[in-house]
Amino acid sequence: MLDRPFDPETRIVSRRDAPPVIEQECDICVVGSGASGISAAIEAARAGNRVILVDGLPTLGGQAVNSIIGMFCGLYAPGLNGRQLTHGIADEIIAELTAQGDAHIIQGGVMKVVMYNEVALGRWVENAVIKAGVRPLTGAIIRKVNLDGRRVRSIDVATRHGDVRITANGFIDASGDAALTWQAGFDCRVHGNGQIYGSQMLIVEGINDAHKPDWDTMAKRIAERGEHYGMMRRDGFAATFPGTDIAMVNMTHIETPLDPFEAAEKQIDGKEQADRTLVFLRHEFPDAFGKAKVRVYGLPGVRQTRWIVGTHHLTTQEVRDAVQFDDAIARCSWPLEQHHNREGYVWEVFPEDHVHTIPLGSLTVAGADNLLAVGRCIDADSAALSSVRVMGPCMAMGAAAAHALTLAGSGSVHQIDIGQLRRKIAANLEG
């Protein structure tokens, strides 16, 4: 306790005394701080750019942290000895988090993933952003995008602390929902029939891992008994964080509409689904989950909602054929994993030597010279996108976008030297 007197003084302030808009300038503005946006912002800053990183949530990390995705997927080629395909910040995250016991490389069947502690990842993101010199702006929602011909000149965002206008030479749409591209008035895509379902992630504690069934047994029991418990999705898994009594549960399918009121309703429905999942686990596997309780619910986990129309539309056949594009900027081997069915998803695994690529053309917004999309809002058909929207290639896309805009300068991303770009991101294309 401090031995100081209280300070009861106040002063009067008025909105009239504050500037109507806070004006900020930078070289590159990144909208969205998930895996792709964080990679883009850090790479852009390290390349010498002044960077502002905007996110609608009050904290950084996007879905990787706040939806508790829990696993980095798509970092490795298939197989027991699958090589790492994406480097950059992925190397730094894996090295630091594994050293402190907050990440573990797991061989899940034919695919290798990295299971991580979302709290530790969140702190890594914040520290890395500040160290790189990136200026964050959280709790900020785009209200307007200001165009000058084919260039985005500035964006107007609203925060609880006042309105902000950010003027930049280049912009990266890492929003997940193509929010920047949509607000700018450019054409976008959505799934043609119905929607792609998301997941409500659930972290439970108090489990007995020694009695936890394997994934196949658990999935079979969900298929047989899930309807009895009112579960929408009829498959899924519970993955134990090594050395703990904590498991990450992914057994829900939630609707992820773009209507604001429907979105609010469905995030509540997602938690109700998660609660039914826990009842299922307690009753069907009492030795493992009989004493389990909810530790935390993630924010709604969104897979695909709305994405850009680029200069190249990546197709399912191109993914299956492992096309090596001349303007490739990222590699991936993650299966086609489309969650367009209410009860489950389609899963098509590739052979061990399969590596498909993502072209720069799928990141370039067709009508804009200084705007690139990354992550789950690049241009692809709905099934192809299901393979490349996972966090490994998302990090690679973010790095590529940062260097592409740096090379473009005041010119067009459609006219940069692809060879020079590929040399800058060679670690994500070779080896």
Side-chain angles (χ1 to χ4, degrees), residues 301-323:
V302 182
R303 289 186 172 89
Q304 296 167 219
T305 51
R306 179 177 57 209
W307 52 102
I308 72 164
V309 175
T311 56
H312 183 91
H313 182 60
L314 184 66
T315 68
T316 304
Q317 196 58 50
E318 289 172 332
V319 169
R320 285 176 173 151
D321 291 342
V323 175

Side-chain angles (χ1 to χ4, degrees), residues 43-201:
E43 291 281 357
R46 290 175 177 175
N49 296 288
R50 296 170 301 155
V51 180
I52 294 178
L53 176 61
V54 179
D55 199 280
L57 295 176
T59 187
L60 298 176
Q63 291 198 145
V65 172
N66 301 292
S67 296
I68 317 180
I69 303 303
M71 291 182 182
F72 293 126
C73 298
L75 281 171
Y76 301 94
L80 297 178
N81 299 307
R83 67 190 188 279
Q84 188 174 336
L85 301 177
T86 298
H87 296 275
I89 69 164
D91 290 341
E92 300 170 38
I93 293 171
I94 294 171
E96 184 169 329
L97 267 60
T98 54
Q100 60 195 38
D102 287 315
H104 299 269
I105 300 174
I106 306 290
Q107 185 70 45
V110 298
M111 302 305 300
K112 191 186 301 182
V113 300
V114 179
M115 195 170 184
Y116 62 85
N117 178 330
E118 76 283 355
V119 177
L121 177 63
R123 290 298 293 133
W124 185 93
V125 166
E126 292 168 343
N127 290 331
V129 162
I130 297 303
K131 184 178 180 181
V134 175
R135 192 173 190 189
L137 180 65
T138 54
I141 305 298
I142 298 176
R143 297 179 62 181
K144 184 182 179 185
V145 178
N146 305 299
L147 299 176
D148 181 6
R150 290 176 54 89
R151 299 189 71 83
V152 177
R153 286 299 178 192
S154 62
I155 60 173
D156 295 340
V157 300
T159 80
R160 63 183 296 182
H161 305 296
D163 295 337
V164 180
R165 171 168 288 179
I166 302 170
T167 301
N169 204 36
F171 291 83
I172 297 175
D173 189 341
S175 66
D177 302 318
L180 198 164
T181 306
W182 175 258
Q183 291 287 1
F186 296 111
D187 289 342
C188 292
R189 299 184 191 274
V190 295
H191 184 56
N193 303 296
Q195 68 164 291
I196 304 298
Y197 289 90
S199 287
Q200 173 62 61
M201 301 301 292

